[in-house]
Structures are given as C-alpha cells and as structure tokens.
Amino acid sequence: MSDSAALTRRHEFVLFFDVANGNPNGDPDAGNMPRMDPETGHGLVSDVCLKRKIRNFVELAKANAPQYRIYVTEGAVLNEKHREAYLRERPGDAEAKTARKLSPKTDEEARRIRQFMCDNFFDIRAFGGVLSTGINAGQVRGPVQVAFARSVEPVLPLEVSITRMAATSEIEKKERAEGADDEKRGDKRTMGRKHIIPYGLYRAHGFVSAPLAAHPVKGTGFTDADLALLFDALGSMFEHDRSAARGEMATRKLVVFRHASALGNAPAHELFARVQTLRVFAGERHDIDDSRIDNWPPARRFEDYAITVDRIGLPDGIEMIER
C-alpha cells in the first residue's frame, strides 16, 4: 500500500476540456465519427476514453514506479499480472508458475491477492476492475468514477477526405498515369476520410468515494497522494496525447469539491449546479439556452465561453478548489 493513509474525505469534480479541428472520441460503430447524442446533437466522450488518458499520464509520470504500475496497457496479458500475486503468495509452487487457471484457496488468500493488485496498480486502486479472467484475482470496486463528458452546445462534425501523392506500388503508379480523366486519376490516390469537430467545449463530472478507498475490507487504499496525482493527470493528460486525429485538445478548467467527511456534506448534483457555462460575444454574456444567442456565430474558441463558479452560500463542510 502507498506510504500515506487512505483517503478519508469525499470529493467531486467538474472537468472542462475542449477540442479544435479534431475528433475527441471516435465511435467504432459509426465509422469512427465523433460520438454524438443523436437527439440533441451534443458531442460525447466516453468515461473509458478519459480513463485511458489518465492511465497514460500516470504511466509517463511514474514510469512503472512501485505502487504506480498500470494494469490495463497496450498488448498486456492481464492473467500474467494476476499470476504475480499468486507467485508472491505461493513461492516455489510449480502450479502457480504455469497453470492457466488459479483460484484462492481461502478467503484470507483471496483478500491478500486482491490487496496485492490494489497496492501495485494505480488504475486498480483508483478505478477498480474485474480480475477474474482465468487466473482469479477477485473483483475490485474503485473509489474513482468518471461520467461521460458532454459538449456544452451541439457540435457539427465534418468529414474530410485524405489523399496521398505517392503510389504504393508500380501497378498503382501505372494505373494513375493511365487514368481516363482527372477525376479517375484523383480517385486512385484517395486514401480515406477523417471526421473532425471544428470546435467543442466538453464538461465531465467525476466522483471520489472515501469509503471505497479506506474501508478496512473493501477499500483499495487510494490515498491523498493518489488523488493529487489524479488531479495532475486531469490537468495535463492532453499535453501528452497529441495526434493528428485528435486535433488540439486541452484541459480548460478543473473545479473540485472537497467534503469534510467520508460520506459527504452535500448532494453532488447541487454542487455541480454551482458551475455554469455562458456564451460570450461582442461584450455580451448569456446562458447557453438563452434565445438571445440564437443568431450569434458558432463558438470557435474557448474565449467564446465563460465558466462561472458560485461560491456564495456553500454548504457547511464543503471546500471548493479551482485549478
């Protein structure tokens, strides 16, 4: 377990990030188009996508340091990570080294195996996981949960054709040269299509449960130091996730609500309602659903919005932190 004590206070947070000329989260069921709410036209980014970016940042920042390894990585064989826990529990056991299926022999061994996974892997300690894929390491309910992000206004995806000038083979080069007309020759070099959103500002909500971190039996041992690393990841995860497909993405604001107790001092939805987004144009500011903005030009930069945070009359035991 990490050197510091497990988290003892509940937290919620609101994360704002934006994208310019990119695809923040492609939908494989829709030809990799940006995820959308078909009824409202709002853009979506899945919780899985955001957790992947957090994992990538922690992996870069901690470089597989003890207690900060990442369980879900590209090409990983998850059962072999479970096997590590069994090898620690059963040193010298030939079956533990080679068996395709393993299960704890006692409840106490199951607890220790589960604890090994929490102690060594940041993402298990934070997000939890189902670790019963053949080599059974149990199930972990993580204290950190992130909801789908939603754009604050509807977005309009664009489809862009991509072409290349070089041929992949001599045959293709000859076919291009012998094309019947300019249009057919152009078809020979069409490489594909990509989808972008010209601009979108997204809002996501997150939750951190102190009981799921600190419970003596079910807790993962998620600590205040882990929480600080999580917030660092939310602030910087897009800085190390650049690609042509994603365009320009950046975290714009992080608002954290810290409770004075483990169970909390106010409902999360009431705290989230204190963070609002306004449209800005020509010196005017109005709510996003205000009819007066109907004829305004579409937002194309972060400065076309204003994020307001209401600190007046905060419930007792609530601390608000802006990053």
Side-chain angles (χ1 to χ4, degrees), residues 1 85-86 88-90 103-119 131 136-140 215-220:
M1 185 179 292
Y86 280 89
R88 192 195 67 167
E89 282 297 309
R90 306 173 187 176
S103 295
K105 296 178 179 179
T106 65
D107 289 345
E108 178 58 25
E109 185 181 53
R111 186 196 66 78
R112 291 195 301 267
I113 288 171
R114 176 187 180 278
Q115 194 60 53
F116 175 91
M117 300 301 292
C118 292
D119 289 348
L131 316 178
N136 187 1
Q139 297 186 23
V140 180
H215 190 278
V217 177
K218 298 180 180 179
T220 67

Side-chain angles (χ1 to χ4, degrees), residues 16 152 201 203 275-279 286-289 302 304-308:
F16 288 93
V152 298
L201 178 65
R203 171 176 174 152
V275 183
Q276 296 294 326
T277 311
L278 306 177
R279 270 300 311 273
H286 296 298
D287 291 336
I288 289 196
D289 57 358
F302 180 64
D304 291 333
Y305 294 102
I307 297 172
T308 64

